[in-house]
Amino acid sequence: MSLLVVGLSHRSAPVSVLERAALSVDAQAKLVQDTVAAEPATEAAVLATCNRIELYADVDKFHAGVAELSTLLAQHSGVGLEELTPYLYVHYEDRAVHHLFSVACGLDSMVVGEGQILGQIKDSLARAQELHTAGKLLNDLFQQALRVGKRAHSETGIDRAGQSLVTFGLEQLAAGGDVQGWAAGRRALVIGAGSMSSLAAATLARAGVAEVVVANRTFERAERLARILTEGDDTDVAARAVPMDAVPGELTRADVVVSCTGATGLVLTAEAVAQAVEDRTGRPAEDEGDDTGTGGTAVAALPPTSLGAEENCPLDLAAVQGSTGFSVAGEAAVAGMDAATLEQHAAWVDNGTLDRRARRGPEADAELITALAATVATVGRIPERRRPEPVAGIPRPTPALFLLDLAMPRDIDAAAHRLAGVRLVDIESLAEASADAPMAADVDQVRRIVSDEVAAFGAAQRAAHITPTVVALRTMAADVVAGEIARLDGRLPDLDERQRGEIRQAVHRVVDKLLHAPTVRVKQLAAEPGGAGYADALRTLFDLDPETVAAVSRAGDSTDKKDRPA
């Protein structure tokens, strides 16, 4: 059996695809269960974070394993296999180990060096253990990955290369300024009470916000987080919990909003954000992407003449502009989507009202969808339209509302990027900002640690692979000795117990000395790359029963599970 990982991340796929492929906790459980039920795999675990979805499995066939794992990822994510395949990466055996160790050290994170990934790897292993889909290989792999990650953080300065996604996001909200100075005295609303939201709430509290309000679908979890914040020794922040239906009112009072829930739809629409800004300032939150000067909301569209003319805009809809121009209010890979799906994903917004859209007719929709699909086929994806850059020398006013969206799929409508009075930082914004972040010199040291640990893990796995064969060989030798001693007892009944003991020890010493050198050497050879064949050679030379070797292996696995801490 061999380790295989198939996945996609912020490095291989646009945020729009990651967003659509995001898996709920229940979907993750079903995915690993279906994976071990499939023919090529015997073990499986899913590592799902805000910027990656990876399926790890122990497989006996590489090509069949890749096909099966890719198909299962597509089925459970809801993104078609044909669309998903260009964004998938595959790692096998030592490369798969190297990948996970790099992930554990924060080398593959959006923010290099962030340590939160260790908790996510631990959670992934715990779920696989609870579902009984993690066997010896994945248990050893994930536990070693956790140790490698901790070693990297303790022995190097990788922490200086980057921060947690929360800290990095708050720095982006503060426009690169001092987070504590920016946060001091502000009121914060945290939507969600999971690990990321809890980290955000604690970070804001330590940064000096005056109040943290926690909203969650399960009110008890919100209460628990608020109580932890209030009782913490390192802050004196006021914290309280509210139900989710209180969010619109709290949104009006908040200065900073952090959202990270498991919702599959939007938690905050652009209209809700615009209303909150208007209630705070007494002025409508105009859409800064609206070139008409009419002060439209976030769902207002650009005039048809601007389509395809913007800098860096890939659209060429001249053939279908007319009175049916579209403007971008989000991002999606739209090839093959019908009009209803496009609207559902908020990828495009029509120029008119719903009634005008209805009058346009299915033929016009078909033309637009064809043009959009052709654009995606050419440029790979359609980027969001963000608010225009300010004119040189004319700074943009300080936002009235700061939004940090750490959810995948997103919690906050991307159209809020274009609202005056709003600064929105989301996963895509963080990816763009971190692309130019300087790499610390410690990264090279961490890479060396990863390489050394991968080599050590591979050697240990290869050595462990031959151990059942060596044990079976020694067991067979012990059985031969016992049989010969029993036969000697029958042929020489007059020997006393002292004489029998001397003979027994002499025979055992001879067998041990004969087996010592070859068994030690074969373990050394098996630990080297390409050493897997030595186990087969040993079984052939000594005519060992394969079932006996398998029984030793099963006994070892059973002992590991019994001794493993809960």
Side-chain angles (χ1 to χ4, degrees):
M1 303 298 283
S2 300
L3 178 66
L4 174 68
V5 56
V6 177
L8 66 160
S9 73
H10 65 286
R11 295 187 183 276
S12 69
V15 171
S16 59
V17 175
L18 281 172
E19 190 173 39
R20 291 166 55 207
L23 298 170
S24 66
V25 175
D26 290 342
Q28 293 175 40
K30 188 68 167 61
L31 174 57
V32 295
Q33 289 171 330
D34 287 354
T35 301
V36 296
E39 182 179 344
T42 57
E43 303 180 34
V46 169
L47 178 57
T49 71
C50 58
N51 54 24
R52 77 176 63 251
I53 304 162
E54 296 177 343
L55 178 56
Y56 291 78
D58 187 7
V59 300
D60 59 1
K61 298 181 183 69
F62 172 72
H63 293 291
V66 171
E68 188 66 34
L69 267 59
S70 301
T71 300
L72 288 168
L73 268 176
Q75 289 176 349
H76 288 272
S77 69
V79 179
L81 181 59
E82 185 176 344
E83 182 182 353
L84 191 64
T85 297
Y87 304 113
L88 294 177
Y89 47 78
V90 174
H91 299 298
Y92 190 55
E93 294 188 325
D94 284 354
R95 290 301 307 168
V97 177
H98 189 282
H99 175 73
L100 181 59
F101 287 4
S102 297
V103 169
C105 293
L107 293 180
D108 197 58
S109 295
M110 187 178 293
V111 181
V112 174
E114 61 93 10
Q116 189 178 2
I117 187 66
L118 287 173
Q120 294 164 328
I121 291 174
K122 184 178 180 181
D123 292 342
S124 176
L125 175 59
R127 283 193 297 269
Q129 289 174 339
E130 290 172 4
L131 296 167
H132 306 289
T133 62
K136 180 172 176 54
L137 176 60
L138 291 187
N139 271 293
D140 290 349
L141 174 70
F142 275 68
Q143 288 172 359
Q144 185 63 23
L146 293 171
R147 287 190 285 268
V148 173
K150 291 175 183 177
R151 180 188 169 193
H153 284 281
S154 65
E155 295 183 11
T156 75
I158 188 66
D159 292 331
R160 295 193 298 269
Q163 318 92 323
S164 73
L165 207 58
V166 170
T167 305
F168 191 58
L170 293 177
E171 285 189 355
Q172 296 305 303
L173 284 184
D178 176 59
V179 172
Q180 288 192 326
W182 165 80
R186 296 185 186 272
R187 295 184 297 272
L189 169 63
V190 176
I191 305 176
S195 58
M196 187 80 82
S197 299
S198 299
L199 178 60
T203 303
L204 286 166
R206 287 193 295 270
V209 295
E211 180 187 42
V212 177
V213 178
V214 183
N216 193 59
R217 296 190 186 282
T218 305
F219 183 68
E220 290 74 14
R221 294 190 65 185
E223 280 188 314
R224 180 175 178 274
L225 177 54
R227 185 168 60 253
I228 291 173
L229 294 172
T230 304
E231 297 172 355
D233 295 332
D234 55 345
T235 67
D236 57 357
V237 68
R240 57 188 174 88
V242 298
M244 285 295 286
D245 57 13
V247 165
E250 296 297 338
L251 191 62
T252 300
R253 290 186 284 273
D255 302 300
V256 184
V257 180
V258 180
S259 187
C260 187
T261 73
T264 56
L266 294 176
V267 174
L268 294 179
T269 64
E271 290 84 353
V273 173
Q275 186 62 55
V277 172
E278 183 174 349
D279 291 343
R280 287 174 61 88
T281 64
R283 301 186 305 275
E286 297 183 354
D287 179 355
E288 293 188 332
D290 182 8
D291 296 337
T292 63
T294 59
T297 65
V299 294
L302 291 170
T305 54
S306 71
L307 282 172
E310 294 181 289
E311 184 179 359
N312 300 322
C313 180
L315 305 182
D316 182 11
L317 301 180
V320 291
Q321 277 188 25
S323 60
T324 59
F326 275 56
S327 68
V328 181
E331 175 189 301
V334 299
M337 292 185 184
D338 57 22
T341 307
L342 284 172
E343 192 164 316
Q344 178 184 357
H345 285 275
W348 300 91
V349 179
D350 186 48
N351 237 355
T353 64
L354 287 173
D355 290 337
R356 285 181 61 191
R357 282 202 293 273
R359 288 199 299 270
R360 190 175 63 231
E363 294 80 6
D365 280 341
E367 290 177 346
L368 287 164
I369 293 166
T370 299
L372 296 177
T375 299
V376 171
T378 302
V379 303
R381 65 184 183 124
I382 299 173
E384 285 177 7
R385 268 193 75 252
R386 305 295 177 86
R387 65 175 65 188
E389 291 299 318
V391 177
I394 306 178
R396 184 175 285 123
T398 301
L401 185 59
F402 296 85
L403 307 174
L404 177 57
D405 185 359
L406 298 174
M408 183 63 69
R410 73 184 74 211
D411 280 346
I412 303 175
D413 192 343
H417 274 293
R418 293 161 49 195
L419 285 172
V422 173
R423 179 176 295 159
L424 169 61
V425 172
D426 54 18
I427 293 296
E428 188 163 23
S429 305
L430 293 174
E432 293 169 356
S434 65
D436 299 325
M439 299 286 284
D442 300 273
V443 168
D444 287 338
Q445 187 178 350
V446 173
R447 286 177 177 148
R448 288 193 293 272
I449 289 175
V450 169
S451 296
D452 292 344
E453 292 284 357
V454 170
F457 183 83
Q461 290 294 306
R462 288 187 290 270
H465 178 68
I466 204 169
T467 297
T469 303
V470 172
V471 171
L473 173 60
R474 289 191 170 275
T475 300
M476 184 190 75
D479 291 342
V480 170
V481 169
E484 290 302 317
I485 293 296
R487 189 168 66 169
L488 185 64
D489 288 343
R491 295 176 63 182
L492 300 172
D494 295 334
L495 293 176
D496 59 34
E497 191 58 38
R498 185 186 64 80
Q499 292 170 326
R500 293 178 191 279
E502 288 290 341
I503 294 171
R504 188 179 298 110
Q505 288 181 10
V507 175
H508 276 294
R509 281 196 297 269
V510 169
V511 172
D512 286 342
K513 287 182 178 180
L514 286 173
L515 290 181
H516 176 73
T519 53
V520 170
R521 186 62 180 141
V522 79
K523 285 184 177 180
Q524 294 171 343
L525 293 170
E528 296 175 0
Y534 286 100
D536 294 333
L538 206 60
R539 286 193 293 269
T540 301
L541 288 171
F542 288 92
D543 196 23
L544 296 176
D545 180 10
E547 181 53 37
T548 302
V549 177
V552 173
S553 182
R554 287 193 295 270
D557 288 347
S558 176
T559 301
D560 286 345
K561 290 178 182 177
K562 181 179 68 176
D563 295 340
R564 188 177 302 129

